[in-house]
Amino acid sequence: MSTLINKVLFTRAGYGLTILRIFVGIIFAAHGAQKLFGAFGGYGIAGTAQYMESIGLAPGHLMAMLAGGTEFFGGLALIIGLLVRPAALGLTFLSLVAIFSVHISNGLFMANNGYEFALALLGGSLAVLIEGAGKLSVDRAITD
């Protein structure tokens, strides 16, 4: 196997990272489904695109597709444990954009639409990016 591919897929992380990865993946995939499909009370592409435009992220349709796609497919990647480092990199970037474009001016706490929740997801994404997928993952099965 190529050295680059092995570095991307390799993990020494244990079961704890596996659990964190799956829970963070579920949250991201659900948020992506809200944006892309209008699932779970979401607004779908059209509503998300309109919101993105309203906060200055233009073109709104493209931004909605990028954000929703990154959350949904990145979340699925975390859940199954396949290519988790590239997925976590995308989710890390997405979380930073959410924090600095939407939540930072509202302070820390979620009660005021602050960045508390996005910060927690950022931490989970960074942990997966650094440590890899963990013991129970497709990535680990490929590299063993």
Side-chain angles (χ1 to χ4, degrees):
M1 182 179 309
S2 129
T3 305
L4 177 61
I5 293 172
N6 194 41
K7 285 182 181 179
V8 169
L9 300 180
F10 180 74
T11 181
R12 283 187 302 244
Y15 294 109
L17 214 303
T18 299
I19 293 167
L20 176 68
R21 183 195 85 228
I22 292 169
F23 279 94
V24 168
I26 290 168
I27 293 166
F28 273 120
H31 279 261
Q34 287 180 312
K35 289 176 180 67
L36 293 177
F37 315 120
F40 311 115
Y43 297 109
I45 291 292
T48 303
Q50 188 176 23
Y51 175 71
M52 295 283 193
E53 288 273 350
S54 78
I55 62 169
L57 296 174
H61 187 78
L62 177 62
M63 294 298 133
M65 293 290 289
L66 288 172
T70 300
E71 285 180 329
F72 184 72
F73 293 108
L76 290 179
L78 293 188
I79 292 167
I80 64 173
L82 177 63
L83 297 171
V84 299
R85 282 195 171 99
L89 181 62
L91 294 168
T92 295
F93 181 72
L94 180 115
S95 297
L96 288 168
V97 171
I99 288 168
F100 289 107
S101 65
V102 178
H103 302 290
I104 196 77
S105 63
N106 299 318
L108 175 64
F109 296 105
M110 283 177 48
N112 299 321
N113 196 29
Y115 58 92
E116 167 181 34
F117 184 61
L119 186 66
L121 291 176
L122 173 62
S125 297
L126 283 170
V128 172
L129 180 62
I130 293 166
E131 295 296 326
K135 282 204 182 275
L136 299 175
S137 66
V138 175
D139 286 357
R140 182 170 176 139
I142 290 170
T143 59
D144 280 349

